[in-house]
Amino acid sequence: MDLLSLVLTLRPHSPTTAPVPVWWGRAAHALLLRIVQQQDATLSAALHDDPNALRPFTASTLMGSFPQHALDPQGVYTLRLTAMTEPVSAALMAALQPGGALQRGAVLDLDGHTLRVEDQAWQEAQHPWAGNDTYQALSGRFLLGRAAPPRAIRMQFTAPTAFKTQERTMPLPLAEQVFRSLLERWNAFAPLAFPPETVRFAAECLAISRFDLQSRSIPLKQGGLRIGAVGSITYTALTYDRYWLSVLHTLAEFARYAAVGSGGSMGLGQARCLSSAEAASNEDAV
């Protein structure tokens, strides 16, 4: 298993009214690294070696309700951890087993707040954001499949999504930026790289045919704000090319594990490709 999206259902363990972080991404990032260190110290050291390297994992913020800026003692919360390489996936899966740091009933520390693991999901049938896959199988479904890929690619962004470009931040999920980000991560970790011309096809041949986006901000350590987009967007090919659309659909499905844009290991850019049925449901709700 190369790719893993693990969804944890959590409940507060030791009720407290202490203020909670506005954004839990750094705490979740630290938790994932602690889990990997417990399972594989050599891998943990490698993940720490180059702070500027692409991270083969992502960690979401803690999702749920925070009345009076505190954990709800009766509340249910969700945390998502993902992996883009087999060693990281293996470390997370091992932690789910009896005696592991993520076993059911285990108590996790997030920025001084303790939460108990109530449930685990690593298959899409268990949770829409969970999943596991290999690079070969994921790419083969589109590149080797009999059915031609559809023109439309529908994406959902549930955490602020933004891109660093020319010393500026682009807070909109334009097709060129989205697929450049995904291609960079795919080519960093997959055994078979996709050509750089993928980005040119996305930029020149994909049009935005529908969107429902809002701007969201999160605080940075230095006191600034990171602004990004959340919501859904549909890209439709103006020019149909089976190969390029197969590559783009593969990358869109890869977003579940890779996140999109900057800050994925700190909870930003959480994204996934929507099925046709899910997209239609979203459109009916608008």
Side-chain angles (χ1 to χ4, degrees):
M1 181 195 306
D2 303 316
L3 303 167
L4 176 67
S5 176
L6 173 63
V7 178
L8 300 172
T9 301
L10 310 172
R11 287 185 181 274
H13 174 63
S14 300
T16 175
T17 57
V20 299
V22 175
W23 189 254
W24 296 77
R26 290 185 180 278
H29 176 109
L31 171 68
L32 188 149
L33 291 177
R34 289 198 305 271
I35 291 167
V36 171
Q37 198 280 330
Q38 292 171 13
Q39 298 295 329
D40 189 333
T42 301
L43 174 60
S44 176
L47 295 178
H48 280 91
D49 278 347
D50 186 355
N52 296 315
L54 287 174
R55 304 288 191 179
F57 62 84
T58 78
S60 76
T61 190
L62 187 66
M63 293 166 279
S65 176
F66 302 93
Q68 282 88 45
H69 304 289
L71 290 173
D72 180 355
Q74 305 303 318
V76 177
Y77 296 87
T78 303
L79 186 71
R80 196 166 74 99
L81 307 175
T82 80
M84 287 171 266
T85 62
E86 190 279 332
V88 181
S89 293
L92 292 178
M93 288 300 294
L96 298 177
Q97 307 309 311
L102 298 177
Q103 68 174 339
R104 287 183 176 85
V107 177
L108 308 181
D109 184 298
L110 286 173
D111 202 21
H113 298 267
T114 56
L115 297 103
R116 185 179 65 255
V117 177
E118 293 285 302
D119 203 3
Q120 318 148 323
W122 61 90
Q123 298 176 351
E124 192 171 359
Q126 299 170 312
H127 191 283
W129 282 85
N132 64 83
D133 220 323
T134 66
Y135 285 103
Q136 182 178 5
L138 179 57
S139 59
R141 284 198 287 277
F142 294 99
L143 292 167
L144 303 178
R146 293 185 178 182
R151 284 180 176 268
I153 300 174
R154 304 167 180 88
M155 301 291 294
Q156 180 183 29
F157 304 94
T158 58
T161 303
F163 309 85
K164 293 181 180 178
T165 172
Q166 298 179 349
E167 305 302 321
R168 298 183 181 181
T169 297
M170 165 59 73
L172 293 173
L174 302 179
E176 179 179 359
Q177 302 295 343
V178 168
F179 289 100
R180 176 182 286 115
S181 169
L182 291 169
L183 180 68
E184 182 181 32
R185 287 168 171 79
W186 179 279
N187 286 352
F189 302 117
L192 178 65
F194 288 141
E197 289 81 5
T198 301
V199 177
R200 186 174 70 177
F201 182 87
E204 296 178 357
C205 299
L206 290 186
I208 297 173
S209 55
R210 189 179 183 93
F211 67 91
D212 180 18
L213 298 171
Q214 295 178 315
S215 63
R216 292 282 172 81
S217 63
I218 64 166
L220 301 176
K221 286 185 69 176
Q222 298 80 8
L225 291 176
R226 174 69 59 83
I227 299 173
V230 297
S232 61
I233 190 167
T234 299
Y235 310 101
T236 301
L238 303 175
T239 301
Y240 191 91
D241 183 285
R242 178 164 181 161
Y243 171 74
W244 291 119
L245 278 171
S246 294
V247 172
L248 292 179
H249 274 280
T250 299
L251 293 175
E253 292 291 344
F254 177 57
R256 176 190 303 268
Y257 309 100
V260 174
S262 59
S265 68
M266 300 288 184
L268 297 174
Q270 297 280 300
R272 71 182 178 104
C273 186
L274 294 173
S275 68
S276 298
E278 289 175 314
S281 176
N282 282 358
E283 291 172 2
D284 290 344
V286 175

